[in-house]
Amino acid sequence: MPQFFLNKRLIVLLISVILLVAMIGFSIRERDRISKPEQFVRDIVGLGQSVIAKPANALAGFFDNIEDLKNTYTENKKLKSHLEQLTSLEAQNHELKKENEDLRSIIKEKNSLGDSESIQAQVIARNPDNWYEQVVIDKGEVNGVAKNMAVVTSGGFLGKVTQVDKFYSTVELLSSPDETNRVSAKVQNAKKDAYGLIEGYDKKTKMLLLKQLDFNIKVKKGDHVVTSGLSGMFPSGLLIGDIEKVTPDENGLTQTAYVKPAANFYDVREVLVINRKTQKFNAGGTGGGQ
């Protein structure tokens, strides 16, 4: 009897395994129609996957976007830094190029001064309130600079030294309104040179005033105005500027010329201080002209 029940249990287990395998095979094979319980289970599982997958995908995309934004910000910061460095380098290159051009022009001017010795200097300061009156240069007494020496740029005559210290000096520009700031000058004319004095600066037209020109001597627009050298203080032939227009004076005996400066009084960097080697004598006989 026990042996019968043992065999019966074995037979039931075997039949159960066979039925289970058959059901699994039946459920995984492709069918056109599935049972309602299977459809219900599939719908529940699909809905659950959809509910879980969408937030999960959105969350994953959010973190991906944050990472991309962070990378973009870092890259943008680096590019901005490189751009700022490039702009700075371009500005430095422009300044060096300008300085190089100024130095070349100054050297050329220095070679053309003939018998006059010169001291190369650089403008180190100027008063914003008196921009067109004075500049300070980095050469002084120890460098051989002395009061009343002429100062020129690569463009032309700039002014004169009015104060000298050990290591720097003050230069009064031709555009200074000081009435005692006079320079003996001449107009280079094809027929006859005309002499006068640079006295004053017209801020409105930004031109120098060449006064006391003989009314009988004809001067015209474009004529060069240079230092006359009559005072013996400045070398002759230093370019002051070109005549723009001429107006008769009230007395009818003289005329005044408006002279466009050759030197740029606004932008001054490199200069030459000139000391004439020969014919140094007092300028008192020229009526205050230099």
Side-chain angles (χ1 to χ4, degrees):
M1 193 69 175
Q3 184 67 31
F4 172 75
F5 283 108
L6 183 61
N7 292 336
K8 187 177 180 180
R9 288 178 181 177
L10 183 61
I11 292 170
V12 171
L13 179 61
L14 182 61
I15 292 173
S16 298
V17 171
I18 293 172
L19 290 174
L20 180 61
V21 172
M23 289 180 65
I24 293 174
F26 178 78
S27 63
I28 63 174
R29 69 185 179 86
E30 293 185 1
R31 291 177 294 165
D32 295 334
R33 300 180 63 183
I34 58 176
S35 64
K36 289 184 178 182
E38 288 179 326
Q39 182 64 46
F40 177 75
V41 172
R42 286 189 178 186
D43 291 341
I44 293 298
V45 172
L47 180 61
Q49 288 177 340
S50 177
V51 170
I52 295 173
K54 286 184 178 180
N57 291 335
L59 188 62
F62 174 74
F63 284 113
D64 288 340
N65 290 336
I66 290 179
E67 186 65 24
D68 291 341
L69 185 62
K70 183 179 178 181
N71 293 335
T72 302
Y73 174 78
T74 303
E75 184 177 357
N76 183 62
K77 191 174 181 180
K78 289 180 180 179
L79 289 174
K80 187 176 181 180
S81 176
H82 291 327
L83 183 60
E84 290 175 350
Q85 291 177 7
L86 180 61
T87 303
S88 177
L89 288 174
E90 287 179 350
Q92 291 177 14
N93 181 60
H94 177 75
E95 288 298 313
L96 289 173
K97 185 177 180 181
K98 180 67 168 61
E99 184 178 349
N100 185 53
E101 290 174 353
D102 290 343
L103 289 173
R104 286 178 180 273
S105 300
I106 284 292
I107 291 173
K108 184 178 180 181
E109 182 73 18
K110 186 175 182 180
N111 293 335
S112 67
L113 289 175
D115 66 344
S116 302
E117 61 182 11
S118 60
I119 303 165
Q120 186 175 331
Q122 192 172 44
V123 173
I124 57 174
R126 66 190 305 173
N127 190 337
D129 296 329
N130 303 309
W131 194 263
Y132 288 98
E133 296 181 20
Q134 294 179 340
V135 296
V136 179
I137 59 175
D138 63 350
K139 294 295 187 294
E141 185 180 339
V142 296
N143 307 107
V145 178
K147 191 175 180 180
N148 291 325
M149 284 185 175
V151 180
V152 301
T153 68
S154 59
F157 192 71
L158 182 71
K160 66 177 181 179
V161 177
T162 55
Q163 183 177 337
V164 182
D165 294 289
K166 280 289 184 181
F167 303 105
Y168 60 90
S169 304
T170 301
V171 178
E172 185 175 30
L173 307 182
L174 283 180
S175 54
S176 169
D178 186 358
E179 294 181 356
T180 64
N181 186 28
R182 300 178 177 180
V183 176
S184 178
K186 70 177 179 179
V187 180
Q188 292 180 328
N189 192 289
K191 295 181 179 180
K192 186 179 180 180
D193 290 339
Y195 293 86
L197 290 173
I198 295 291
E199 295 183 85
Y201 178 75
D202 189 331
K203 290 185 177 181
K204 185 176 181 180
T205 60
K206 295 185 179 180
M207 293 187 190
L208 299 168
L209 302 178
L210 176 59
K211 299 182 178 182
Q212 300 184 29
L213 288 171
D214 190 335
F215 188 79
N216 295 319
I217 299 178
K218 300 299 180 183
V219 295
K220 62 184 184 299
K221 180 178 180 180
D223 285 346
H224 295 316
V225 179
V226 298
T227 53
S228 68
L230 295 178
S231 68
M233 187 175 297
F234 301 149
S236 62
L238 297 177
L239 181 62
I240 296 175
D242 296 332
I243 290 179
E244 280 292 313
K245 67 176 182 177
V246 182
T247 59
D249 295 333
E250 293 180 356
N251 56 24
L253 300 175
T254 58
Q255 52 189 336
T256 297
Y258 287 77
V259 180
K260 183 178 180 181
N264 186 345
F265 298 132
Y266 183 80
D267 184 15
V268 186
R269 302 187 185 190
E270 304 290 336
V271 300
L272 286 177
V273 182
I274 303 171
N275 181 25
R276 189 171 180 176
K277 290 182 179 180
T278 58
Q279 283 189 304
K280 297 178 184 176
F281 53 89
N282 196 301
T286 63
Q290 298 165 352

